[in-house]
Amino acid sequence: MDISRRSTTIYGLLLAVWVLVLGWQVEEHVRVRETAKTELRGRAGVIANFLSATIRGQRWRNAVIQDRLEPVLNLLVNGRTNELTRPSELIAITLLNSAGDPVVSVGDTNLVPPAVMPEGEYWGPRVVTFVNPVYGVSVAAEGETNNSIIVLPGRRDLTNEMRGRDFPRPEGQPVPLFTNSAENAPPASPTNFASEPHNPQHEHESMESPPPPPPDDGGEPRGPGRRGHGRPPWMNRMSDDEFKALIAKRELHGLVLAMSTEKYRAVCVEDLWLRFVIVFFAGISAAGFGLAWRTVARTSELQIRLVRASELNTHLREMNLAAAGLAHETRNPLNIIRGMAQMLSRQTDASPEIKEKSHAIVNETDKVTAQLNEFINYSRPREIRRAALALHPAIQEVVRALNYDIEEKKVKLEVKGEPVSIAADEQLFRQMLFNLLLNAVQALDTGGEIQVITGKKGAEAFLEVRDNGPGVPLDRRKEIFKPYFTTHQKGTGLGLAVVQQIVLAHGWEIECLANEPKGAIFRITHLAVTG
């Protein structure tokens, strides 16, 4: 009972440890996934900061020409030697206006899900989309201008914007980004994704100021309110409404970075396999320890059972010796009683009643004596002294010893098979065969048949005793070899038990089978053949 409780505790602890390992590995896998996501976010942040610095370096009066910005974006997406990201990670870059429409798009935008204006990240099965606001976009206070960054199209890209009108630049005239006007020169604002403050001096250091505007109407500079103020020369003939619409469409409000999750998924899958291997071997270890403990527990139980069986065997041996001694001592008084009863029956003056009772005493005494002899014979230790024994002569001697019983029931007995010589204890073999034949004679009615068959298979011989009696039911074929189990009214129940004891002492095997069409077969196998 203590071992069973201890085993339950050990198995519970092993299961708890395995569950803890499983939970630990799940937690570690989640941590690795978050770390991989953080690294991907960091690379996206590096790209965003680089774009911010690029836009700051190319802007003038908060405007950037698209022709100058697109090569940089193409280099980021399609470049093979950039240090910011692997070529397969950055898929597409999109700059959005206030309405969420793309201003500039580079890369495979078909893989990018529809962008939404709220900033954040959107993870898909193969692509992750980062939506970032362009800092510096704000609602202008009274008396101030909105200092957002505007991406102006180049002259060659403005045909649709200007409804098909193309205005060539005067020959020899420089093309400034903006005309120098106080009205449309608002102070710059932070435009990078790290919210860096704007420094006007940095703008003049990173980009040269455009030359003054060309003279108009006699060389007079354009004054405030004049058409074309604050715009590139190729846009001077656009109306103010058209130019404001263009500005609203080209004003930057958001940045969308689409990056591949292939590296992220590879890291997650590799870590998942690692965690699976750890959990698997942890389970194997727990199972192995459990099996080892089970073996130890069973070994302990077997040792306890062996000790108890040894004690019980010793006790049974002592009881067997005591019973055998008691049986032996009981035979002497029985012999005296039998002799006195015979003397009373032989007296000349004995009445017929006394003679009848004396004969009854003799018969009952003979029955008890036979049972005591069987018991003593069964309890006697079997010491095998093997010698060469010819089966047929030994069988004929046993048949002659049973000749009176055989003739009394008019039983037909035949000995068949090839002559075989085996290694056996002759006295014990005859006793075994005598009990088998006596059991067969007692089972038969008058005029029955018995066959004793011998044979050889290789280096082993077999012996069969067949009869055509009632046979033995299937459920009793193993019980008939137990002590004191008998189906005969006059049987002692020890005859077949002695037979099995002698068979096992020789290392043979015995089994009871059905004899067709009726009867029983007692087959003894594995008899060692001698020369």
Side-chain angles (χ1 to χ4, degrees):
M1 189 66 178
D2 295 337
I3 294 178
S4 178
R5 291 180 179 177
R6 191 179 302 172
S7 298
T8 303
T9 304
I10 292 296
Y11 295 151
L13 289 175
L14 290 176
L15 180 61
V17 169
W18 184 80
V19 170
L20 287 176
V21 172
L22 176 62
W24 173 40
Q25 296 305 313
V26 170
E27 182 180 359
E28 286 296 313
H29 179 65
V30 172
R31 183 186 63 81
V32 170
R33 289 179 58 137
E34 292 300 323
T35 302
K37 282 186 177 181
T38 302
E39 292 179 355
L40 190 57
R41 294 188 189 102
R43 289 192 291 273
V46 171
I47 297 174
N49 290 332
F50 178 78
L51 288 177
S52 175
T54 301
I55 293 175
R56 286 201 312 269
Q58 293 187 0
R59 72 179 179 176
W60 187 79
R61 295 182 180 270
N62 292 345
V64 177
I65 303 300
Q66 182 174 347
D67 292 345
R68 299 179 180 179
L69 184 59
E70 283 185 345
V72 178
L73 302 182
N74 283 316
L75 182 62
L76 287 175
V77 174
N78 302 318
R80 299 296 177 183
T81 58
N82 65 83
E83 299 295 335
L84 297 174
T85 179
R86 291 186 177 182
S88 59
E89 277 191 312
L90 186 58
I91 296 177
I93 301 176
T94 303
L95 297 174
L96 305 176
N97 59 15
S98 59
D101 298 327
V103 176
V104 180
S105 296
V106 175
D108 191 358
T109 57
N110 294 327
L111 299 177
V112 182
V116 291
M117 284 309 297
E119 63 177 301
E121 55 189 52
Y122 304 91
W123 291 81
R126 296 185 177 276
V127 178
V128 58
T129 304
F130 297 96
V131 180
N132 300 313
V134 176
Y135 297 114
V137 177
S138 60
V139 179
E142 186 176 358
E144 297 179 358
T145 58
N146 189 353
N147 49 8
S148 303
I149 296 179
I150 302 170
V151 178
L152 295 179
R155 181 178 180 184
R156 58 183 175 82
D157 298 327
L158 201 63
T159 303
N160 293 332
E161 304 287 351
M162 299 176 62
R163 297 180 177 87
R165 292 177 295 174
D166 192 6
F167 301 95
R169 177 171 55 88
E171 185 176 352
Q173 179 177 329
V175 184
L177 184 63
F178 279 90
T179 56
N180 191 5
S181 174
E183 179 182 355
N184 289 288
S189 62
T191 60
N192 65 325
F193 299 97
S195 302
E196 296 182 4
H198 172 67
N199 188 351
Q201 184 178 358
H202 175 72
E203 286 185 354
H204 293 292
E205 291 175 355
S206 60
M207 185 174 183
E208 295 181 2
S209 300
D216 187 15
D217 297 334
E220 296 180 2
R222 299 180 184 270
R226 297 291 300 275
R227 187 181 181 187
H229 171 72
R231 65 184 72 175
W234 62 87
M235 298 182 183
N236 284 340
R237 296 191 179 183
M238 295 178 65
S239 65
D240 292 339
D241 293 337
E242 290 176 345
F243 186 72
K244 290 180 180 180
L246 179 64
I247 294 302
K249 188 176 181 180
R250 290 286 177 164
E251 188 178 43
L252 296 186
H253 278 249
L255 169 65
V256 178
L257 295 177
M259 302 188 70
S260 172
T261 58
E262 181 179 356
K263 180 181 178 181
Y264 162 76
R265 287 185 287 109
V267 170
C268 292
V269 170
E270 181 180 358
D271 183 76
L272 185 62
W273 275 108
L274 176 63
R275 306 303 168 187
F276 174 78
V277 170
I278 294 175
V279 172
F280 175 75
F281 280 105
I284 293 295
S285 302
F289 190 85
L291 291 176
W293 172 256
R294 183 183 179 185
T295 303
V296 171
R298 286 189 173 183
T299 303
S300 301
E301 291 181 357
L302 290 176
Q303 289 177 350
I304 294 174
R305 290 181 182 179
L306 287 175
V307 171
R308 293 177 179 175
S310 177
E311 294 176 354
L312 181 60
N313 190 25
T314 302
H315 179 68
L316 290 177
R317 286 182 179 178
E318 294 174 356
M319 291 293 295
N320 190 23
L321 292 176
L326 179 62
H328 185 271
E329 295 297 329
T330 306
R331 281 193 310 178
N332 295 331
L334 287 176
N335 291 329
I336 295 174
I337 294 172
R338 185 177 186 277
M340 294 180 66
Q342 287 178 344
M343 289 175 61
L344 288 174
S345 64
R346 292 175 183 175
Q347 290 181 356
T348 57
D349 57 347
S351 61
E353 183 180 0
I354 291 177
K355 290 182 178 181
E356 182 181 357
K357 292 183 178 179
S358 297
H359 284 297
I361 291 173
V362 171
N363 291 334
E364 294 299 326
T365 303
D366 289 340
K367 291 180 181 179
V368 175
T369 302
Q371 290 180 354
L372 290 176
N373 290 334
E374 289 286 346
F375 177 77
I376 293 172
N377 190 23
Y378 178 75
S379 61
R380 182 183 303 164
R382 304 297 177 184
E383 296 181 3
I384 306 300
R385 298 177 181 178
R386 299 178 187 271
L389 176 64
L391 287 182
H392 280 205
I395 295 172
Q396 294 295 340
E397 291 181 7
V398 174
V399 170
R400 283 193 295 269
L402 287 171
N403 192 36
Y404 176 79
D405 296 293
I406 293 173
E407 291 180 353
E408 184 180 10
K409 281 194 172 184
K410 297 180 181 180
V411 174
K412 181 182 178 181
L413 193 148
E414 296 179 340
V415 179
K416 298 181 178 181
E418 57 180 316
V420 180
S421 179
I422 63 172
D425 190 308
E426 182 177 357
Q427 182 179 358
L428 293 180
F429 177 82
R430 290 180 178 179
Q431 182 180 359
M432 175 197 70
L433 185 59
F434 181 89
N435 289 348
L436 285 176
L437 293 176
L438 181 61
N439 180 74
V441 171
Q442 292 176 351
L444 291 175
D445 296 330
T446 302
E449 295 182 0
I450 298 177
Q451 293 181 347
V452 181
I453 303 175
T454 60
K456 183 172 64 174
K457 292 182 178 180
E460 294 182 347
F462 66 90
L463 172 68
E464 292 182 355
V465 177
R466 298 172 175 240
D467 64 71
N468 60 351
V472 182
L474 181 62
D475 56 342
R476 293 187 175 184
R477 290 176 185 173
K478 292 184 178 180
E479 295 181 354
I480 59 175
F481 295 105
K482 294 181 180 180
Y484 300 106
F485 180 86
T486 181
T487 57
H488 308 314
Q489 293 181 356
K490 297 182 180 181
T492 60
L494 290 174
L496 293 179
V498 172
V499 170
Q500 188 184 43
Q501 191 180 56
I502 295 173
V503 168
L504 295 179
H506 280 83
W508 304 335
E509 291 184 4
I510 185 171
E511 56 182 343
C512 179
L513 304 173
N515 188 18
E516 299 297 338
K518 67 175 184 177
I521 300 175
F522 288 88
R523 179 179 296 164
I524 302 175
T525 56
H526 303 301
L527 284 74
V529 178
T530 62

